[in-house]
Amino acid sequence: MAISVVINTYNAEKFLREVLETVKSFDEIVICDMESKDHTLEIAQEYGCKIVTFEKKNYVSAEPARTFAIQSASSDWVLVVDADELVTKELRDYLYKHIEDPNCAAGLYIPRKNYMMDYFMKSSYPDYQLRFFRREGTVWPPHVHTFPQVQGRVDKIPMNREDLAFIHLADTAYNTINKMNQYSENEIVKRKGMHVTMAKMIFSPFFRFFKTYILKGSIRYGKVGFIQACNNAYYKYVVLYKALERERMEKMIQK
């Protein structure tokens, strides 16, 4: 049984070589590129990846290209890896052993270790991602922060198996803030019709901060943990801000 690794890319040169080093022993690597302007494709060619192109258009996330990327793979099984995630040897071996079982689950949620300023943020763990599944019949909705729809039983890798988790590399503050803006654009599309009240504007970001900083334990990481909690709260605020703006514009059009 073979496994294809699928990576969606757009100007992903920063970590791509490091990522490809960790997946080069799989049967196939498919790079689904959204018309990158940097050295992404050159790096992919160095590693002998199969390269397919999905038009960038006005898309601000990889989700619209996910199903196309998955169906471009040749193997029956697919592992989707982001261009800033590393795959451990232990995870690779686990997945190949998994598909040897004729009664295995059709999909697996994989835990993910998120890093920030080189700190492993355990407050975000296990951050499960449904990224391993049978290719046949799998469809990925085009909205940001969604999981694929897999035909069949889906299981989770136990969270205590940290050796099997993706390693999500730390990004810069600049890119993190840019991603918040990009992801929130798709978030409000997914949440179409959401009514934004004053209470929600005040308390939702505050609760997101409290949940991250206190309930999930970011407070243990000093300034880095505080920044993580602020980022989560700010993202919630931006989504609500954009949703309110859209709501008011729709009312003006109706008048």
Side-chain angles (χ1 to χ4, degrees):
M1 298 287 284
I3 299 175
S4 293
V5 172
V6 170
I7 305 175
N8 289 80
T9 58
Y10 176 67
N11 292 344
E13 67 178 7
K14 182 176 182 181
F15 298 121
L16 187 57
R17 187 173 277 105
E18 191 174 356
V19 172
L20 292 175
E21 278 293 324
T22 69
V23 299
K24 63 184 181 182
S25 60
F26 284 85
D27 297 282
E28 178 184 54
I29 304 173
V30 178
I31 296 292
C32 180
D33 188 68
M34 299 178 77
E35 301 178 317
S36 291
K37 302 295 190 292
D38 62 359
H39 298 291
T40 293
L41 295 183
E42 295 172 27
I43 296 170
Q45 289 166 354
E46 287 177 27
Y47 282 82
C49 302
K50 175 181 178 180
I51 300 172
V52 296
T53 301
F54 189 89
E55 289 186 31
K56 178 70 170 67
K57 296 183 178 179
N58 295 321
Y59 299 128
V60 294
S61 71
E63 274 72 16
R66 294 286 197 189
T67 299
F68 172 75
I70 292 164
Q71 296 307 320
S72 297
S74 304
S75 305
D76 292 333
W77 290 89
V78 169
L79 174 66
V80 175
V81 179
D82 279 351
D84 57 358
E85 293 173 343
L86 307 182
V87 176
T88 66
K89 180 182 181 300
E90 291 80 6
L91 176 57
R92 177 201 177 279
D93 294 344
Y94 182 93
L95 296 179
Y96 275 101
K97 185 176 181 180
H98 175 82
I99 63 177
E100 290 176 359
D101 182 356
N103 297 314
C104 67
L108 283 177
Y109 281 93
I110 301 173
R112 180 169 66 175
K113 295 179 178 179
N114 292 297
Y115 282 77
M116 186 173 184
M117 297 185 188
D118 296 324
Y119 282 85
F120 168 30
M121 306 303 292
K122 290 188 177 181
S123 55
S124 298
Y125 189 80
D127 190 23
Y128 276 113
Q129 305 293 318
L130 181 50
R131 298 283 196 77
F132 184 68
F133 39 76
R134 293 185 187 274
R135 177 175 56 84
E136 188 65 31
T138 297
V139 176
W140 200 306
H143 305 305
V144 72
H145 296 159
T146 54
F147 288 140
Q149 298 167 353
V150 178
Q151 302 296 314
R153 188 178 91 252
V154 176
D155 288 344
K156 283 185 176 181
I157 293 177
M159 64 180 294
N160 63 353
R161 293 296 307 273
E162 290 187 16
D163 58 320
L164 304 180
F166 287 125
I167 298 173
H168 191 196
L169 299 170
D171 211 340
T172 62
Y174 180 89
N175 287 338
T176 297
I177 293 170
N178 276 345
K179 286 178 180 178
M180 285 186 196
N181 191 39
Q182 293 170 1
Y183 293 162
S184 60
E185 286 295 308
N186 272 16
E187 187 84 13
I188 61 170
V189 172
K190 186 173 69 172
R191 296 173 178 270
K192 188 174 182 180
M194 177 176 64
H195 179 59
V196 181
T197 64
M198 178 62 78
K200 188 176 289 187
M201 289 289 293
I202 294 171
F203 291 110
S204 289
F206 174 78
F207 179 72
R208 182 67 65 89
F209 177 89
F210 179 78
K211 181 179 179 181
T212 303
Y213 197 57
I214 303 298
L215 300 183
K216 291 193 172 184
S218 283
I219 192 173
R220 294 174 293 176
Y221 303 105
K223 287 181 281 189
V224 175
F226 180 76
I227 291 170
Q228 183 193 39
C230 287
N231 284 349
N232 288 350
Y234 178 67
Y235 179 78
K236 185 67 176 180
Y237 166 77
V238 170
V239 171
L240 292 170
Y241 177 12
K242 291 184 177 183
L244 178 62
E245 180 183 55
R246 181 188 61 192
E247 182 181 354
R248 288 178 175 269
M249 289 179 66
E250 289 175 350
K251 286 181 180 179
M252 289 178 61
I253 292 173
Q254 292 171 3
K255 288 181 179 180

